[in-house]
């Protein structure tokens, strides 16, 4: 039986300014299951800290993932920017492995005025070089390009499913809030089931058993995502999403990115456990 774990993007907000180690301890105290470590401004964690993080998380059975820096664009015009992007991804994966984190989430690219097809080819090419380097270093983590919320960003559901199907070592990070913001749709039980059945068709049932999911409330305009909101201040139908996830027996990690982080993570977890217990 697959089961979903719930956690926050970065250490819980309350109390403020928790380190990653303190964040993991806090996750345990409030009854959550996992934590996505945010390297979004750069990978600055020392090896010693990473090893400490790994021990503290393993002792508490808290599952970890990592979010790579925002400054990644595998479709940049300049060769140096591509190389810097690849290096940020590699550094994120190295530190993730030291932390005992199994997944590295990242924003792959911008279209930069090129076609989605051209962008896809660039992303795939540079991405394969990253995979190659990581396999030389015997680092085994899932690299997870994220479904993105703005129409200027590479990362539609279809792009990521195709890329995953064609490339070993990657899996998608399905951000349901981004997908809703980008499409203006995908906010009902039937549509959530549609996304899950697309994943199942393209990547097989096992992909549904090990997903990395982002959820938050979200504000959006005609170009997609504007900013995150707390779930109850947004139109996001999270109860319908949880019902779809439960009905499809989805397993893996759900990371909450609402401004109130742990409060909405607990809200999602509580709803999910109720559903899960009722149906099983
Ligand atoms: Zn992200």
């Amino acid at each position: 039986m697959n089961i979903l774990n719930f956690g926050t993007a970065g250490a819980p907000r309350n109390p403020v300014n928790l380190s990653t180690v303190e964040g993991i301890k806090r996750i345990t105290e409030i009854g959550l299951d996992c934590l996505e470590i945010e390297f979004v401004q750069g990978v600055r964690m020392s090896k010693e800290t990473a090893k400490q993080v790994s021990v503290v998380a393993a002792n508490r059975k808290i599952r970890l993932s990592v979010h790579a820096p925002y400054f990644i664009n595998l479709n940049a015009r300049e060769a140096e920017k591509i190389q810097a992007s690849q290096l940020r991804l590699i550094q994120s994966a190295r530190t993730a492995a030291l932390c005992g984190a199994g997944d590295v989430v990242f924003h792959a690219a911008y279209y930069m005025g090129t076609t989605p097809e051209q962008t896809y080819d660039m992303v795939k090419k540079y991405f394969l070089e990253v995979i190659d380097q990581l396999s030389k270093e015997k680092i085994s983590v899932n690299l997870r390009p994220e479904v993105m919320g703005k129409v200027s960003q590479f990362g539609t559901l279809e792009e990521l499913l195709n890329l995953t199907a064609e490339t070993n070592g990657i899996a998608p990070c399905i951000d349901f809030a981004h997908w809703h913001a980008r499409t203006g749709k995908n906010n009902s039980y039937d549509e959530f089931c549609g996304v899950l059945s697309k994943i199942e068709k393209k990547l097989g049932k096992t992909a549904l058993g090990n997903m990395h999911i982002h959820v938050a409330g979200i504000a959006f305009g005609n170009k997609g995502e504007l900013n995150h909101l707390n779930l109850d201040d947004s139109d996001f139908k999270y109860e319908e999403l949880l019902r779809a996830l439960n009905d499809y027996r989805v397993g893996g990690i759900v990371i909450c990115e609402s401004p109130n982080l742990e409060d909405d993570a607990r809200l999602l977890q509580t709803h999910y456990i109720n559903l899960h217990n009722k149906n099983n």
Side-chain angles (χ1 to χ4, degrees), residues 33-231:
D33 320 297
C34 52
L35 176 73
E36 182 184 274
I37 304 169
E38 303 299 290
F39 292 145
V40 295
Q41 303 300 335
V43 187
R44 300 201 188 98
M45 186 181 278
S46 70
K47 279 187 184 168
E48 292 66 36
T49 304
K51 284 177 195 157
Q52 201 192 346
V53 163
S54 146
V55 171
V56 172
N59 285 342
R60 287 169 177 72
K61 297 195 169 54
I62 297 298
R63 202 169 149 188
L64 299 176
S65 59
V66 154
H67 197 305
Y70 289 140
F71 316 104
I72 286 176
N73 182 6
L74 295 175
N75 188 38
R77 301 297 88 196
E78 302 87 348
E80 316 84 76
K81 286 194 184 162
I82 301 269
Q83 279 165 12
S85 294
Q86 289 177 308
L87 188 59
R88 289 186 182 110
L89 208 40
I90 290 166
Q91 285 170 333
S92 301
R94 285 175 184 151
T95 308
L98 288 175
C99 288
D103 303 278
V104 176
V105 173
F106 68 104
H107 305 175
Y110 288 86
Y111 296 116
M112 312 289 294
T114 64
T115 67
E117 293 74 23
Q118 287 167 325
T119 307
Y120 183 95
D121 291 344
M122 295 293 267
V123 168
K124 188 175 171 189
K125 173 178 169 208
Y126 294 122
F127 196 60
L128 285 171
E129 294 176 3
V130 170
I131 304 252
D132 207 37
Q133 177 61 31
L134 292 178
S135 80
K136 274 185 200 144
E137 296 183 25
K138 301 204 170 19
I139 290 172
S140 128
V141 292
N142 275 321
L143 293 175
R144 291 196 184 253
E146 182 176 330
V147 170
M148 297 310 300
K150 295 183 182 141
V151 296
S152 57
Q153 293 171 303
F154 174 84
T156 64
L157 179 67
E158 291 75 17
E159 284 167 339
L160 299 188
L161 294 185
N162 288 336
L163 192 62
T164 304
E166 290 177 10
T167 324
N168 280 333
I170 78 167
C173 169
I174 307 293
D175 189 316
F176 282 97
H178 280 168
W179 194 228
H180 170 43
R182 184 170 188 144
T183 58
K185 300 185 280 185
N186 291 293
N187 194 27
S188 66
Y189 175 80
D190 287 345
E191 289 167 308
F192 295 134
C193 290
V195 170
L196 297 173
S197 76
K198 255 188 199 169
I199 295 171
E200 184 175 350
K201 258 189 218 125
K202 191 84 188 174
L203 306 178
K205 230 183 179 55
T206 49
L208 290 183
N210 181 24
M211 282 182 67
H212 195 297
I213 293 168
H214 283 170
V215 179
I218 197 155
F220 56 95
N222 56 7
K223 289 184 177 157
E225 174 187 11
L226 295 171
N227 55 277
H228 285 164
L229 297 170
N230 293 335
L231 285 168

Side-chain angles (χ1 to χ4, degrees), residues 2-6 242-243 245-246 249-251 267-277:
N2 295 322
I3 187 145
L4 283 171
N5 292 315
F6 290 81
L242 292 170
R243 206 146 53 78
L245 294 173
N246 188 54
R249 302 281 188 266
V250 170
L267 179 75
L268 292 165
Q269 184 191 41
T270 306
H271 273 287
Y272 173 76
I273 290 173
N274 285 339
L275 273 175
H276 195 76
N277 290 345

